[in-house]
Amino acid sequence: MRIRLTVNGAGVEADIEPATLLSALLRERLGLTGTHQGCDTGQCGACTVHVDGRAVKSCLMLAAQADGRRVLTIEGVAEGEALHPVQRAFRDRHALQCGFCTPGMVMTALDLVGRLDTADEGAIRHGLAGNLCRCTGYRPIVEAIAESIRARRGDG
Amino acid sequence: MHPFRYLRPESAAEAVAARGEDDETRYLAGGQSLLPALKLRLAHPSVLIDIARLPELRTLRRHQGGLEAGAALTHAEIAGLDDIPALAALAGSIGDLQIRNMGTLGGSLAHNDPASDHAAAVLGLGATVRTDRREIAADGFFLDMFETALEPDELIVSVNFPRPRRAGYAKVRNPASGYPVVGVFVAETDGGIRVAVTGAGGCVFRLPDFEAALADNFRPGALAGLATPVNGLNRDIHATAEYRAHLIGVLAGRAVERCR
């Protein structure tokens, strides 16, 4: 089947098998390997991307379900060499160790920063429940997201 | 996954016509339960019918008595509705953020997982499930593990939630899966007190003796001394039936405390 979607602002057309996962389309067909495939069972969140502005797990979504939608991957977050403020906060807070979970963490963080009105630690941790970090780096990740929320509100 | 064809009809009627009555075709809503089942080859339909974008299933109607929510509204969308705070809080506690952004109310009900959160709200509030052909009261909808009153090709269109006088939900989550080990929804409705339990049995069920006790005295203390029979409760590596029976009492009390 043929699908048309927008990926990081650019129109994409692809002939796919209907069973193709969105994660496979992004990684294998479009070469966007910043979206990581950790568990392939929907547990780890490393494959998180945005579809129409909302964080979803691309290994739990068919590429066909994204037909006609806007997809944003980690490759589309920075403006050229200029990191997005959330990415800067991750760097400044050392919110990564091995980096495998980081693309998914950043994509979920972007959804959370847009969604949460206050930098409440409990709400941030609840929002991060679908992203696993096995380097036990949650504290700096939570701090980076809290800092991003405060900065967005202008009281950081 | 086994190969399949993918259809995205434009209307509910077209979807139902494509569905047929065997297991070769399946409706696909958010896919947060169905895709894992396909990957494990627990299900291998030859046709998937994507219903997530059907306009009839994406409606939201507020009325004097409550809220009629389209079946394809996501958990995140339900969580953002402040009409019935206990329902919003329950939807906001399902799975994780990404799953709430994809998973749908109707998909969750049709799947009828033994530990479905939404099932507890639908039964606890005494909601009505509207399909392409009829209305089904919550009390007759949930039959058993992964079994509902739906006919094979019957499509959930919306769920009508009556606004309760007060309601609350409390659960203990399995930390790995996020599903409730046990969840209890308590509501004072115009039709009386309703107590619905999820995660503990084959599917969601009510507790008449808890309801009677709370009708006399709507306080957690009214539940003291009430025991849930262990017979028929789930037992697995996460919790014994005895532990689940204990949790039902504890969580019913917490749900009462949370009622507003």
Side-chain angles (χ1 to χ4, degrees):
Chain A
M1 62 179 291
R2 189 156 191 82
I3 59 169
R4 292 180 186 83
L5 61 161
T6 306
V7 179
N8 299 331
V12 169
E13 279 195 49
D15 277 313
I16 56 160
E17 289 297 323
T20 307
L21 294 170
L22 178 58
S23 54
L25 174 79
L26 294 170
R27 289 176 54 83
E28 293 161 22
R29 297 286 290 276
L30 305 179
L32 297 171
T33 52
T35 297
H36 287 171
Q37 187 114 12
C39 65
D40 198 33
T41 58
Q43 308 284 318
C44 80
C47 67
T48 300
V49 301
H50 287 200
V51 176
D52 284 351
R54 292 297 187 205
V56 302
K57 293 171 185 169
S58 62
C59 85
L60 277 191
M61 183 169 184
L62 299 173
Q65 290 174 284
D67 183 26
R69 305 257 194 227
R70 282 181 300 115
V71 176
L72 179 71
T73 72
I74 189 70
E75 288 90 346
V77 172
E79 297 266 358
E81 292 298 304
L83 293 180
H84 186 283
V86 170
Q87 291 174 303
R88 277 208 308 276
F90 268 63
R91 186 189 59 191
D92 295 348
R93 293 278 176 167
H94 305 289
L96 65 153
Q97 206 173 113
C98 85
F100 188 84
C101 71
T102 308
M105 287 285 182
V106 169
M107 298 314 288
T108 298
L110 286 168
D111 188 326
L112 281 177
V113 169
R115 191 186 287 263
L116 296 177
D117 294 328
T118 60
D120 174 68
E121 181 180 336
I124 294 170
R125 288 184 179 271
H126 177 64
L128 275 180
N131 290 78
L132 302 183
C133 167
R134 295 294 79 160
C135 306
T136 45
Y138 292 109
R139 175 168 291 283
I141 293 168
V142 171
E143 287 171 354
I145 295 172
E147 182 176 293
S148 301
I149 293 169
R150 287 192 297 265
R152 196 207 64 207
R153 288 164 42 89
D155 57 0
Chain B
M1 287 189 278
H2 287 281
F4 50 78
R5 285 199 303 134
Y6 170 92
L7 304 177
R8 196 166 62 235
E10 302 279 322
S11 71
E14 209 182 305
V16 173
R19 171 62 174 79
E21 297 196 355
D22 56 30
D23 284 341
E24 284 298 300
T25 54
R26 291 283 297 269
Y27 292 128
L28 169 67
Q32 303 301 284
S33 297
L34 183 53
L35 286 193
L38 295 179
K39 288 183 176 190
L40 293 169
R41 303 194 172 190
L42 296 172
H44 33 81
S46 54
V47 182
L48 286 186
I49 304 167
D50 189 344
I51 55 170
R53 301 186 205 184
L54 292 176
E56 302 103 306
L57 275 61
R58 296 275 315 148
T59 57
L60 176 67
R61 190 172 67 86
R62 294 184 161 93
H63 55 85
Q64 203 169 8
L67 177 73
E68 185 173 352
L73 294 187
T74 63
H75 309 319
E77 286 168 333
I78 304 276
L81 304 173
D82 50 11
D83 305 72
I84 303 174
L87 173 64
L90 172 143
S93 77
I94 294 172
D96 54 49
L97 178 74
Q98 295 95 316
I99 284 170
R100 291 192 293 276
N101 281 339
M102 279 295 283
T104 68
L105 170 64
S108 172
L109 298 180
H111 185 53
N112 196 19
D113 191 284
S116 162
D117 289 286
H118 269 314
V122 167
L123 187 64
L125 291 168
T128 304
V129 178
R130 191 161 71 79
T131 75
D132 63 299
R133 63 200 67 172
R134 58 177 168 155
E135 297 196 337
I136 308 172
D139 285 311
F141 182 83
F142 304 100
L143 300 187
D144 202 347
M145 192 176 288
F146 304 119
E147 268 189 57
T148 68
L150 293 171
E151 292 168 31
D153 62 339
E154 193 167 6
L155 180 66
I156 301 176
V157 174
S158 64
V159 180
N160 199 359
F161 293 99
R163 186 178 295 105
R165 293 177 193 162
R166 49 187 164 166
Y169 180 59
K171 66 175 169 179
V172 166
R173 290 166 66 107
N174 177 315
S177 73
Y179 276 103
V181 176
V182 173
V184 182
F185 196 98
V186 173
E188 185 188 358
T189 71
D190 291 345
I193 305 290
R194 298 175 68 98
V195 177
V197 180
T198 191
C203 68
V204 67
F205 60 90
R206 288 173 68 184
L207 286 175
D209 51 344
F210 280 50
E211 293 172 357
L214 291 172
D216 283 345
N217 179 11
F218 198 82
R219 291 166 183 277
L223 303 172
L226 286 179
T228 311
V230 170
N231 223 350
L233 294 190
N234 297 337
R235 53 186 79 230
D236 53 34
I237 59 167
H238 306 300
T240 61
E242 289 75 11
Y243 181 57
R244 282 191 164 89
H246 176 72
L247 281 183
I248 289 171
V250 172
L251 294 171
R254 286 186 196 165
V256 170
E257 282 170 8
R258 282 181 195 172
C259 275
R260 62 188 177 93

